[in-house]
Amino acid sequence: MTTATTAIAPPLLALTGVRKEYVPRRGLFGGAAEPVRAVDGVSLSVDRGETLGLVGESGCGKSTLARIILRLVAPSAGTLRLDGQDVTRLSRARARAYRRRVQMIFQDPYSSLNPRMRIDTLLREPLLIHGLARGGAIEAEVERLLSQVGLATDALSRYPHEFSGGQRQRLAIARAIAVSPEVMVADEPVSALDVSIRAQVLNLLADLQQARSLAYLFISHDIAVVAYLSHRIAVMYQGVIVETGPAREVLRHPQHPYTEILLAAVPVPHPRLRNQAVRHPTGETSVPHGAPSGCRYVARCPIMQRRCQVEPPELHALADGHFVACHLR
Amino acid sequence: MDAALPVSSDAALTLSVRGLSVSFRDGGAQVPALEDVSFDLHAGEVLALVGESGSGKSLTALAIMGLLPGGARVDRGTVLLESCDLVSLGPREMTCIRGDRMSMIFQEPMTSLNPVLTIGRQLTEGLEIHLGIAVATASARAVELLRLVGIPSPERRMREYPHQLSGGMRQRVMIAMAIACDPKLIIADEPTTALDVSIQAQIIAVLAEIRARLGTAILLITHDLGVVAEMADRVAVLYSGRVVEVAEAEALFDAPRHPYTQGLLSAMPRLDWLAAEGPRTRLAEIAGVVPSLRDRPDGCSFWPRCPLATEQCRREVPPLISTSDGRVAACWVRQVAA
């Protein structure tokens, strides 16, 4: 649109009211199965050069959300927009174009690299599929990719099993950036790596973002790792975003009781801080069935009130970009 | 290197590992996995054995428990559990000691609990075997154990099966089983790694409570320095099958002596620093990769990744020695007191 000079540019990737329901298989005696709401009305956005960190515990729906963004599963409701264009439903050809622009890296790089392919084949494949280089240019591009992720060219003639976990994650990253994506969804990308290797991969991701203005959706259960890379943080609980805001603001002034508990549960960084840590009693997450009548957090919430049991809280703004879904904040 | 390990506690010595060397068969060759591992653990103390994958931390635990996998064997060394050398014991004697005088908690409680037995049955079984007590007494004791590890309505839980419990509750059951016979030593191998953050904190609290109430010595095996900071009194750092540093937890976090320990600590993202004002500092990296045991470099295993490495480091394995300031590390460069 040439007339849009006064309008604010839409965010690069935006989700609005995204929901995903799974209907569980009927049990042995065929009882009516209630649908499980893995993701229940999530709206979020990521911009160029920005990292949105998505934190939550197992079963909160963060990986389902990633799969929706990658268009690996279709949402039951809601829309997905890239550069303002609705991409929730796409033709085959446009889906391929979308996949070039939105790439992913996963926790286990070994299962995402074909073990029978040599590294040069693995890195050529995305270039060929998307027609991004041909002839001698491919050679040069593959070598450039390797050096960008900090690997030597002797890697090209080897197979994935010959590499360590950290190197394999570098290869998975090389493959993802091969097609010059704009958005990268990273689902627990360093959780399987050794401590000494984790920092290497986190710094590599930061450098690539800087060099390529990549937008990251960085998903992890580890809030310290998320905080290191993220500009903004979103906290997910039982399929909904309960709090989102600038990373430092969320760390310093968490508003949702669940965010408070998550932060308080992070191990102290030094033994001397042990006794200063505040410990809250916490329950455990269960999978949500059906639509709850009130706030999903009532069962674990230390400050819960009557209203919370009947009325689900909406996300509302507190300060600059800081939102919380809690009646009491 | 006995001389290198200063006595750090007046409490009774529960476990003393000396010069433990373990190798495993790989093709025709015998590959050394653990080399000359030594450490002490006193009653009521938590010693963290910290290391990355391939450091040999789990192998150390298995060697102590007498549960080495096929192809692996103890070549040298002693493992004294209150003056009884476990290395010299036969399988039958070890079976009596395991679960009774020492027990183990694993990372994934679901795989270590029997899915077809009730929680109650799994708890009472050990009590009946090791303590030879009657079924009714064993049940009463089992309920008491479940209460001790913070499981609500334990009588009801006794009748349930492992799949009916959440991950955190299952790990509590594992701890209850581990303390059932009032062992002197608990080996906890990554006890919180498979759990969510908020549940992790609860399990750490349960273990701390057990240590405080029962005076059990805990050998905590972990890769997570956060868990170490939460729980450990002392720390032994393993790298590529060798102990590279032993220190009191606070001293280690204050001023790590070995360059590897130093690297590990500064590679850890810290929430308190990330929340602070000012520009974000870049995480320090340790260059290179963890060596596989099959091609461990000559000399100090860490030299290819070490910023301080000298010619001597490439040739000779540094011994674990103690400096005049009471610090213990295996490093040629850091041999003088800081």
Side-chain angles (χ1 to χ4, degrees), chain A residues 57-58 164 167 194-200 202-204 206-207 221 223-225 227-231 247-248 251-252 261-263 265-274 279 282-284 300, chain B residues 52-53 166 168-169 196-199 201-202 223 226-232 249-250 253-254 264 267-272 274-278 280-290 305:
Chain A
E57 296 183 288
S58 49
S164 67
Q167 290 170 324
D194 275 320
V195 185
S196 74
I197 306 301
R198 208 168 57 181
Q200 294 176 7
L202 288 173
N203 286 338
L204 172 63
D207 294 344
H221 70 286
I223 203 165
V225 164
Y228 178 62
L229 276 192
S230 302
H231 303 95
R248 196 168 278 162
L251 298 182
R252 288 163 76 107
I261 278 172
L262 269 190
L263 285 169
V266 172
V268 293
H270 192 293
R272 204 171 292 120
L273 303 171
R274 235 177 252 177
R279 290 287 179 253
T282 54
E284 284 186 53
R300 294 173 68 178
Chain B
E52 299 181 282
S53 51
S166 66
M169 284 298 152
D196 274 328
V197 198
S198 61
I199 312 304
Q202 296 172 16
H223 72 284
V227 175
V228 174
E230 286 280 354
M231 277 191 70
E250 287 198 5
F253 280 79
D254 277 342
L264 272 189
M268 180 170 87
R270 286 184 55 159
L271 269 187
D272 49 349
L274 292 168
E277 293 288 351
R280 235 171 245 188
T281 46
R282 197 176 163 86
L283 274 185
E285 298 175 18
I286 305 179
V289 296
V290 182
R305 308 177 71 186

Side-chain angles (χ1 to χ4, degrees), chain A residues 120 123-124 127-128 132-143:
Chain A
D120 57 351
L123 293 181
R124 274 159 197 267
L127 296 169
L128 291 168
L132 297 172
R134 58 181 64 195
I138 292 191
E139 218 77 16
E141 182 57 22
V142 162
E143 286 182 16

Side-chain angles (χ1 to χ4, degrees), chain B residues 177-201:
Chain B
M177 286 172 68
I179 59 171
C181 300
D182 203 4
K184 300 295 173 200
L185 169 69
I186 293 177
I187 300 179
D189 191 357
E190 303 276 6
T192 63
T193 305
L195 304 172
D196 274 328
V197 198
S198 61
I199 312 304
Q200 256 182 35

Side-chain angles (χ1 to χ4, degrees), chain A residues 148 164 172 189 222 292 321 324:
Chain A
Q148 281 207 354
S164 67
D222 185 338
V324 67

